[in-house]
Structures are given as structure tokens and as C-alpha cells.
Amino acid sequence: MSSKQELSSEQFQSTMQAGNVGAWELNLNTGILTASDVFKSHFGRIPQDDFSYSNLKDSIHPEDKLKIQAALDKAQNECNIKFRIIGPKGKTRKVQMIGKLGFEASGIPMKMGGVSYDITEQSAGIKQQQENEELDDFVKNAPVAMHGVGPDGIILWANSAELQMLGYERKEYVGHNIAEFYVEASEIEDVLKSLSSGKILNDHLVQMIHGDGSVRHMLLNSNVYKKNGTFIYTRCFTRDITEIKQHMEVRGLLAAIVDSSDDAIISKNLDGIITSWNKSAERLFGYTEKEAIGQPVTMIIPPDRQNEEIVILEQLRNGKKVDHYETVRRRKDGTMIDVSLTISPVKNLRGHIIGASKTARDVTQQKEAEIAIAKMAAESEQQKRMYESIFSNMPDLVFVFDLNYRFTYVNDALLKMWGRTLEESIGKNMLEVGYEPWHAEMHQREIDHVITDKVPVRGEVSFPHAKLGPRIYDYIFVPVLNANGKVEKITGTTRDITERKQAEDTQNLLIDELNHRVKNTLATIQAIAAQTLKQANNPSDFIDSFNGRLHALSRSHTLLTKSSWEGAYLDEIFNKQLPFKVTSDRITFRGPKVFLSSKEALHLSLVVHELGTNALKYGSLATPEGRLQVNWKIKKDKQNPEIKITWIEKGGAEVEALDTAGFGMTLIEQSLKSVGGETNLDFDPSGLQCEITLPLPPKKYANLRKELLHSAR
Amino acid sequence: MPDKSILIVEDEFLVGLYIQSTLKDAGFAVTAPAVSVKEALHHIAEEGFDAAVLDINLGEETSEEIAVKLSDLKIPFVFVTGYEHVNLSPQFAGSPLLEKPIEGNQLVDTIHSLCS
């Protein structure tokens, strides 16, 4: 024994009793169970009751028997088993038995003994704790959002699903007033009010604010936990139905769109049976929704196009869309309409094709319009080509200005005039294409005038042509009005009038010259008449002389007109002015070709006429035997080359000195002075001799002579 | 009182002859018409004139130079021309001018008034 002081048996027993610890011992040889009163009480027995080992075995809960057996089998020297028993009154309790083996000296087990505890209450506590833990986990980690709210609106708790759904950290949510998270604070006030009055909220729709700021549509299911009639907290289940709501809204919208669409929208299943039929389908095809649904879609397909449906259905089964398929469909009244079909396969949620939606658009008018537009476009193209052809080949300059004085069109003639390419010109203003500043400014002022007053402006201006040099142009700017009557463009055409201007100038000059010539001729005739009259003995004498001189003048005019009054050949003057009554073998004239100016020719003509008349009246031509010889030659040896004409009369009547003061003589002797000529008369008794010297005409007459010779050939 | 002496400048011989004889018949002293500027200026340098008749166009030249000279000498003159549009220097714009064909009486009256 140990020297330590040990508890007495009584003391031990009382301690055991106070601790409600049972004691037991089982003799393994005899099977007799010795049990303390407490032990017995653990099995529902009172101290006076016998309690044998078999009583103990019978008390064990049937479900725990195998468990005990297994535990005992496993046990070596000790055992510690917990098991349920059923007491004599049928009450189940839970007992824990802890025991140890006792051995004989030989080492054979002799007995087992130990203690026992009634753990009924304890077990129940553990179970409660377990249940609590499970419930806690259930609430905390359930995939359904939940929260509790106190009567003051403060959020008492919220589970992870709730926080995740609303997008808040726990500290951002729990401890805050629930009203902060509602779009309308009044909404939550109403909710709390009806909850506190004992109502249960079922799928109550509220709008809450998500952590990202978005508004979410929530369904609220809630009731209140009350204790002794006091509101302790609400139990709230929230579901985010934002997406569902959006889907529903879209669906509603789609339905509305389908209903209000101008296009006929039809759906059908894969057997080709109509399953929906909107208002426009009624209008387009003439069948009501009631008449159409359940009918084969082939009822609106003309007999000769029935096979189209087979092809369409085949395509749909393969998941293909039919886009803007233009065909013909038949209305209820039998008339045909042009339609454009768009057919899409309809799939169920599992992605299987279950039918088709079909949009039919009446394109009868559209088709007519298309044909008309195509025709117009073709005509417009044709016109465009025509105008382009006209403008680009036009010798006149054609161009278009925008309102900012920029060229938006220029034709080929204008480009040639500028010496620029189209690329260098389109979109450019006048300064940029090389106009002088004064010129550009003038046109800009004119364009402003066209824009403001909507009237054409016309003018003349000189501009240097790239190849031809300075030219004179006649231009006109014309407004192009848009549909509102505003000027939108300014078109212009410009014509090169240089030649016309020159022709006009020439014409004016010619008229002036003609006038001058007529006046001078009249003055000459006046002088001839006056001088002839002075010498005339009688009117008949005057008429003869005057007529002769007038005709001489007329003949020289005829001659000069041939060369446009440039001049005449010397031999032609003699040819014209010598009296033609005389046979030609009596008159000879010979000399080189000499071209005289018109003034020289005119004066010489009158001199030759006077000489000829004189010869015919009084000289060599007055007798049948008389001869006239005219020779001329060019004398180049002098400083100023000259022509020397020699007039020799022979074989005529004897010459007397004539009245040199007479007009005829004056004319012969004096008239050539004004052209730088000289006349010498020699009244030789054998015949008159006259020597005329004229300056050789300048070179330009020689050149002109060549031209005349050329044109005569 | 001696006859008034008149200078005639006219390159058309017949017209010159007409002017000459018309003025001579009216009692003026006239010489043969000058046919060029050079000849006219020579005459002016040689002798004095009381008045002059100037044909404006003398072939390649005009009689303006003569008119300038006459103006310097304060000798009055009358232009004659066959042209309707006459391009004269502004200083001669107001000078008397007769159109061809010249009316004899008008010429004589004009010269009389120039000499008075």
C-alpha cells in the first residue's frame, strides 16, 4: 500500500454519489454484476432494485448493441463506451461506461470494473450545438440571399449570398440602415410597417441600389420574429430579378414591335403550320389571325411556287436563314403580291430548331419605284454623258462656281486656255488658277451680285490664253437656284470673241475708209466738173469732156477694186485708159511688170486718159496712119529707183503748141506731183512726146504683186 | 488793199486744183497747193499768209504739224477732210472743219471770216 493518505471507502462513496458517478464491477467468471446505487439510477433503477448483468444487456438500445459489441471486441485492457439504454418505463437515456480489466496472479482476466455517467443531458447539449452549427452554416452559406433587420431598420446580419448579390462588403452593409439601400426610402418604411403589423410579404417587388450604383429589381419575402409581442427582427429573403424583369420587358417590347410592325410577321413550326400571325399579316394576306393559325403556310403560296416551301423548310432544318427572298404570295382574295421574305429558324432553349419566323414585306410599290428609279438613273446617266460630251467638246469655256468662288466644274476648252490639268483646277479659286488679283476681285463682285440679285451678269474681259496669248472674252455668269429659290451654284460660259472684235474693228475701219473714198471721189468729180466747165465752149462740149473724164475715173476704180484698192499694174492702166476705138496694131506699149499704188494708179489713169483723148482728137491717133508707142523701164541706178514712161506719137497731124493753161494740160503736167512724179511734154512737130517719171513703189507693193499673181493662177 | 494770201495744203491734185480756183475766183491770192508737210512748212517759211486750208490726211502723214506752226504764227486756218471721224489733238478740237466734197461758197465764206 502506498504511504499516501487515501480516501476512506465511505468518503469515496459519498464523493461518487455527489458527482453522480456510478460504480460497477463484473466478475468475469461468475457473471455477477456489482453495481452502486448511482449506477443503478443511470439505468433507471432505484437502489432497492436488483440489477444483474443480463438486466444491463437487456437495457441497451437495440440500435446500439452492435456498436457496443464492436467496441468491446476492439478493447484491450480498458473500455470506454457510450450507448443508449431504454429504462424500465421506456425512457431512453444515454450512459457512458468506463472500465478496466482486473487480472489474477496467473495473468488471466478475472474481473472488469469502473465508473458510469448519465450523459443523457450532455449528449442532448452536443446535439443542440451541432444543430446550431449546421443552421448557422446553412444560413451563412446558403446560395439564397438573406438578411435580418431590426425594428429601427438597422441591418443586423446578412449572408454571403446577400452581400455578393448586392455587391457590398459586410461592413458596408451590416450595421447600416436598410433605407440607405433602397431607391425609395418610403418603400422600406412601408415594408417595415406592414411587417410589424404581422403581415408576411410574399414576392414583394422593391428597387435596391447595387454596390456598383445600378438599380436592381428585388423580390422580397419576409416576416417578423416577435418575442412577447415585441418586434425583434425581420427575416428577409431577397432575390435579384433584374435580368428576368429586363427579359420580360424585352419580351413585352418584342411582342409590341411584332404587333405594330408594318411587315407581316408569321411564325410556323417545322411542319409548315402557322403558329402566329400579326396584324400586318392580316392586312397583307387578308386572313385573320384566327383563320391563319393552325393552317399550313402553303395557303398563301401560289400553286406554281409550292415547291419553294419545301426548299425553305429544308434550309431551315439546316439552321440557315433566308434573307430578302423576293417572290410572289397569294392573298385570300386570290390576288398576287410581290413580297420580300426573311425567314429565320426559331430554336428552343436547348438549341433545337422548332420552327421559323417569317417576315414578309409588300414590295409591289417598292418594285415599281425601283423600276422607275432605275429608269430615271439611266436617263440621268445618259443626260450626264450627253452634257459631258457637249461641254467637253464645246469651243466655248464652261465652268461652275460654288458660293465660295471655287471652280467645281471646268471643261476641256477652259483647261486648255489656262494650260492646266483638271486636278490642278477643281476646288481652286481664281487666284489659285492664275488670275490677276484685280481680275479675280472683279469676278467675285459679279458673283456676289449674281447670288444677291439672282440675275445673270455679262461682261467682256481680256485674258492671256496659255497658247494664243491675250484674247478677248465675252462671259456670262448665271445663277443656279435650289428648290428653296436660293442660289446654290453659279454657272458660266465664256466665248473667245477676239476674231469678232477684230472683224468689227476692221469693219468699222473699212466703213470709214469707204466713206472717205466716196467723199474724196465726189470731191474729185466736183473738181473735174468745175474745171471742165471752165473750159467748155458749150454744154455739149462740157458733157463730152466731163463724161470722158468720169468714165476714166470709173475705169480706174474698177481696176483698183480688183486688188481691193491696193493698186494696179502699169500695163493694165494703159490697157484700160487708152481709147479702144483705135485698132491695137497702131498702139504698142511695152515694159516690165510694175505694180503701182492705188493713188499713183488713179492719178496716172487720169493722165493717160487725157493724153489718149488728146492723141485721138489732135495727135497721132487722129489720122489713120498715126502710131502711138508707150515704153517704160525701171531705172535702178539712181538713189531712189524710179519708173520712166515714154509716150511717143508718130505719123499724126502736125503738132501745134497746145493751150497749156487748159485743164487737160494742167492735169497731165501737174497731177503726178502729189505722188512724187514728174511729167515733161515735148511738142515735137512730128508728134507729141511725153516723159513721165514715177518713184518705184515700195517693196510692200512688190510683195503684194506676187500674191496677186499667185491668186490669179 | 492787196489780196489776202491763202495757203492750200491738199495732196489730191484735183481737189487742190478746185480749192485753188475757187479761192482765186473769189479774189484771194493763192499758190499751187502744197502736197506734203515739208512743202507746206517750206511755203510758210518763205512767205506770209493770211489764212490756210488744210487737208488733214496727206497720204502717210497728217497736217497737224502745219496746224501747230500756223497757230504759233497766229495764222488762222480751216481743216478739210473726207473722214467722218477725225482724230485730232484736243487743241484743234474747236477749229473750223469742212467736209469733202467742199461746197465752194461755204469755203469762201469761211476764209473770209478767218481773214477778217
Side-chain angles (χ1 to χ4, degrees):
Chain A
M1 289 302 260
S2 152
S3 61
K4 276 186 189 167
Q5 197 181 359
E6 294 182 339
L7 286 170
S8 69
S9 183
E10 289 79 19
Q11 273 178 322
F12 184 71
Q13 276 208 353
S14 71
T15 306
M16 297 267 277
Q17 225 160 1
N20 200 22
V21 179
W24 59 278
E25 190 177 276
L26 179 67
N27 190 314
L28 298 174
N29 295 325
T30 60
I32 294 166
L33 174 74
T34 313
S36 71
D37 291 348
V38 175
F39 186 81
K40 282 181 190 171
S41 73
H42 289 164
F43 288 84
R45 303 303 200 277
I46 56 172
Q48 291 76 26
D49 286 346
D50 285 330
F51 192 64
S52 68
Y53 184 49
S54 67
N55 288 145
L56 187 149
K57 285 197 283 191
D58 290 342
S59 299
I60 296 169
H61 194 285
E63 289 175 11
D64 287 358
K65 280 185 176 162
L66 282 172
K67 187 171 124 190
I68 291 170
Q69 195 55 56
L72 288 175
D73 287 348
K74 261 169 55 184
Q76 297 283 322
N77 297 332
E78 292 174 355
C79 72
N80 183 352
I81 49 175
K82 291 172 182 172
F83 55 94
R84 285 172 292 170
I85 58 113
I86 296 167
K89 288 172 185 165
K91 201 176 174 186
T92 302
R93 301 193 69 81
K94 197 160 184 182
V95 176
Q96 181 179 23
M97 285 176 69
I98 301 166
K100 267 189 173 178
L101 278 176
F103 298 93
E104 283 180 44
S106 59
I108 298 163
M110 184 188 74
K111 60 177 184 185
M112 178 171 253
V115 293
S116 74
Y117 304 99
D118 183 340
I119 58 169
T120 309
E121 295 298 320
Q122 191 190 346
S123 276
I126 288 165
K127 199 176 173 192
Q128 184 65 47
Q129 196 183 344
Q130 261 180 353
E131 279 175 3
N132 281 351
E133 276 171 21
E134 282 165 10
L135 195 62
D136 195 42
D137 168 72
F138 183 84
V139 169
K140 272 185 182 159
N141 300 316
V144 177
M146 286 178 247
H147 66 275
V149 175
D152 51 0
I154 298 297
I155 300 164
L156 300 174
W157 56 268
N159 71 352
S160 308
E162 171 103 2
L163 293 169
Q164 200 182 344
M165 182 182 75
L166 284 169
Y168 294 104
E169 294 290 326
R170 188 170 298 279
K171 60 182 177 189
E172 293 174 325
Y173 193 61
V174 175
H176 289 258
N177 195 308
I178 188 74
E180 292 172 31
F181 305 96
Y182 272 71
V183 173
E184 295 285 342
S186 62
E187 208 168 58
I188 186 63
E189 281 167 21
D190 290 347
V191 164
L192 291 174
K193 212 176 277 174
S194 45
L195 284 173
S196 62
S197 71
K199 279 185 186 153
I200 296 170
L201 292 179
N202 274 317
D203 289 345
H204 183 74
L205 189 64
V206 295
Q207 283 178 303
M208 292 184 76
I209 301 160
H210 189 271
D212 65 12
S214 63
V215 171
R216 297 297 172 100
H217 297 276
M218 299 285 178
L219 272 188
L220 203 63
N221 284 281
S222 181
N223 56 6
V224 169
Y225 171 60
K226 283 186 181 178
K227 203 171 182 183
N228 302 328
T230 312
F231 187 130
I232 304 298
Y233 61 84
T234 68
R235 319 169 181 101
C236 291
F237 292 80
T238 36
R239 253 190 310 151
D240 187 341
I241 57 153
T242 309
E243 274 184 36
I244 295 169
K245 199 165 162 20
Q246 281 168 351
H247 279 305
M248 281 166 68
E249 277 170 4
V250 168
R251 228 183 118 124
L253 202 67
L254 284 177
I257 289 168
V258 166
D259 241 17
S260 64
S261 171
D262 275 343
D263 292 337
I265 301 173
I266 304 164
S267 61
K268 62 179 179 184
N269 62 22
L270 283 182
D271 297 325
I273 301 297
I274 295 164
T275 52
S276 82
W277 188 263
N278 76 342
K279 287 272 188 299
S280 285
E282 289 189 355
R283 275 198 300 275
L284 187 60
F285 297 113
Y287 294 97
T288 64
E289 188 181 4
K290 236 181 214 173
E291 287 170 327
I293 289 180
Q295 295 301 311
V297 77
T298 50
M299 76 175 181
I300 56 165
I301 302 178
D304 58 328
R305 288 180 184 263
Q306 289 287 336
N307 58 338
E308 275 181 11
E309 181 63 11
I310 298 165
V311 178
I312 290 168
L313 283 174
E314 187 54 39
Q315 272 197 275
L316 287 173
R317 284 195 192 97
N318 293 329
K320 285 184 190 155
K321 195 179 169 189
V322 177
D323 227 349
H324 299 301
Y325 177 68
E326 298 216 340
T327 183
V328 177
R329 288 293 178 259
R330 193 176 60 177
R331 293 168 52 90
K332 189 182 177 184
D333 62 11
T335 55
M336 299 296 173
I337 41 172
D338 289 313
V339 291
S340 167
L341 298 181
T342 297
I343 306 167
S344 311
V346 173
K347 293 175 182 177
N348 66 8
L349 287 173
R350 271 165 280 163
H352 296 140
I353 296 159
I354 53 164
S357 78
K358 193 171 193 172
T359 309
R361 175 168 295 181
D362 183 353
V363 291
T364 313
Q365 284 177 337
Q366 191 184 329
K367 274 210 148 170
E368 284 166 6
E370 273 169 16
I371 291 166
I373 287 166
K375 200 175 155 202
M376 271 167 62
E379 280 171 4
S380 150
E381 270 302 308
Q382 197 187 357
Q383 270 194 335
K384 201 179 154 195
R385 282 196 300 276
M386 189 178 77
Y387 287 133
E388 269 174 7
S389 166
I390 292 170
F391 290 149
S392 61
N393 295 308
M394 209 153 140
D396 289 345
L397 319 178
V398 182
F399 46 91
V400 179
F401 286 113
D402 64 14
L403 301 182
N404 298 316
Y405 323 112
R406 290 179 186 284
F407 289 100
T408 59
Y409 173 84
V410 290
N411 75 343
D412 291 357
L414 184 52
L415 292 174
K416 259 186 215 156
M417 188 268 242
W418 286 339
R420 300 174 72 88
T421 64
L422 191 68
E423 290 71 33
E424 289 167 344
S425 313
I426 293 297
K428 300 283 194 313
N429 62 27
M430 284 173 276
L431 286 176
E432 288 165 333
V433 297
Y435 282 61
E436 297 276 337
W438 67 265
H439 195 166
E441 278 162 25
M442 177 182 83
H443 284 332
Q444 289 190 5
R445 277 197 305 277
E446 288 164 342
I447 290 168
D448 289 343
H449 179 51
V450 171
I451 294 169
T452 316
D453 296 349
K454 297 170 191 161
V455 292
V457 166
R458 193 166 178 177
E460 273 181 28
V461 71
S462 175
F463 192 89
H465 189 289
K467 289 229 173 79
L468 307 175
R471 307 289 290 177
I472 302 164
Y473 292 97
D474 173 9
Y475 61 90
I476 184 162
F477 295 158
V478 181
V480 178
L481 302 183
N482 65 13
N484 302 324
K486 286 257 168 67
V487 176
E488 60 179 6
K489 288 263 173 2
I490 299 93
T491 59
T493 51
T494 294
R495 178 163 292 180
D496 184 339
I497 55 161
T498 313
E499 269 86 21
R500 200 187 81 199
K501 276 269 160 192
Q502 285 171 347
E504 274 173 18
D505 289 350
T506 308
Q507 197 179 19
N508 286 334
L509 215 67
L510 281 176
I511 289 168
D512 269 7
E513 196 54 42
L514 180 67
N515 193 34
H516 173 236
R517 199 162 290 154
V518 168
K519 296 254 172 87
N520 268 346
T521 305
L522 288 173
T524 305
I525 294 166
Q526 181 189 37
I528 291 170
Q531 296 304 317
T532 307
L533 185 63
K534 275 194 172 177
Q535 283 205 317
N537 300 319
N538 52 56
S540 149
D541 194 12
F542 167 76
I543 287 296
D544 282 352
S545 298
F546 181 72
N547 271 350
R549 284 165 182 151
L550 196 62
H551 280 115
L553 194 65
S554 171
R555 283 195 297 275
S556 66
H557 274 228
T558 305
L559 190 59
L560 287 169
T561 305
K562 275 208 312 197
S563 69
S564 305
W565 280 77
E566 292 291 348
Y569 286 103
L570 187 54
D571 56 340
E572 283 186 327
I573 293 168
F574 284 107
N575 215 353
K576 285 265 187 236
Q577 299 298 352
L578 288 180
F580 38 82
K581 287 179 207 162
V582 181
T583 46
S584 61
D585 59 334
R586 292 175 62 195
I587 304 171
T588 55
F589 46 94
R590 188 176 292 123
K593 273 274 180 195
V594 177
F595 193 79
L596 300 177
S597 73
S598 58
K599 197 172 176 186
E600 289 170 322
L602 198 62
H603 283 87
L604 187 64
S605 290
L606 290 176
V607 170
V608 171
H609 168 75
E610 290 302 327
L611 284 170
T613 307
N614 200 53
L616 197 65
K617 275 186 177 170
Y618 318 107
S620 65
L621 299 181
T623 60
E625 300 80 26
R627 294 274 191 285
L628 170 62
Q629 266 187 2
V630 182
N631 301 310
W632 64 90
K633 53 188 174 192
I634 295 168
K635 295 182 95 175
K636 286 184 177 167
D637 52 329
K638 290 199 173 177
Q639 198 182 357
N640 295 314
E642 50 187 35
I643 310 154
K644 194 161 194 174
I645 305 163
T646 319
W647 173 286
I648 301 168
E649 292 180 31
K650 273 182 182 162
E654 197 168 321
V655 175
E656 298 165 34
L658 292 170
D659 175 14
T660 50
F663 175 52
M665 274 307 133
T666 311
L667 214 156
I668 290 166
E669 285 185 312
Q670 308 289 327
S671 73
L672 289 173
K673 276 187 186 165
S674 66
V675 291
E678 207 183 318
T679 311
N680 285 306
L681 279 172
D682 180 7
F683 299 97
D684 190 299
S686 64
L688 180 89
Q689 290 197 10
C690 178
E691 209 175 74
I692 299 168
T693 310
L694 282 172
L696 193 72
K699 232 179 190 165
K700 73 169 184 176
Y701 292 104
N703 289 338
L704 193 81
R705 191 188 65 187
K706 275 182 204 156
E707 277 174 37
L708 283 171
L709 281 172
H710 186 74
S711 66
R713 272 175 219 144
Chain B
M1 189 177 120
D3 292 339
K4 298 274 183 192
S5 176
I6 308 299
L7 170 70
I8 302 168
V9 183
E10 170 60 77
D11 64 336
E12 288 288 330
F13 168 72
L14 287 171
V15 179
L17 194 62
Y18 171 73
I19 296 169
Q20 187 186 0
S21 72
T22 304
L23 292 178
K24 195 177 170 189
D25 292 350
F28 291 103
V30 286
T31 51
V35 297
S36 66
V37 173
K38 195 179 156 192
E39 198 184 337
L41 293 177
H42 178 75
H43 284 315
I44 295 168
E46 291 290 309
E47 49 194 302
F49 293 102
D50 295 297
V53 180
L54 305 179
D55 178 22
I56 294 173
N57 290 85
L58 303 171
E60 303 288 309
E61 48 188 13
T62 74
S63 57
E64 274 203 51
E65 199 184 334
I66 307 162
V68 172
K69 184 75 188 167
L70 292 172
S71 299
D72 289 347
L73 297 169
K74 307 261 191 283
I75 299 171
F77 55 86
V78 58
F79 284 117
V80 295
T81 183
Y83 286 98
E84 200 144 293
H85 309 286
V86 187
N87 288 315
L88 281 174
S89 300
Q91 66 177 113
F92 303 121
S95 302
L97 191 138
L98 294 175
E99 257 191 61
K100 291 181 184 177
I102 306 159
E103 216 271 291
N105 292 334
Q106 201 184 357
L107 175 67
V108 172
D109 289 349
T110 305
I111 297 299
H112 272 304
S113 69
L114 286 179
C115 292
S116 64

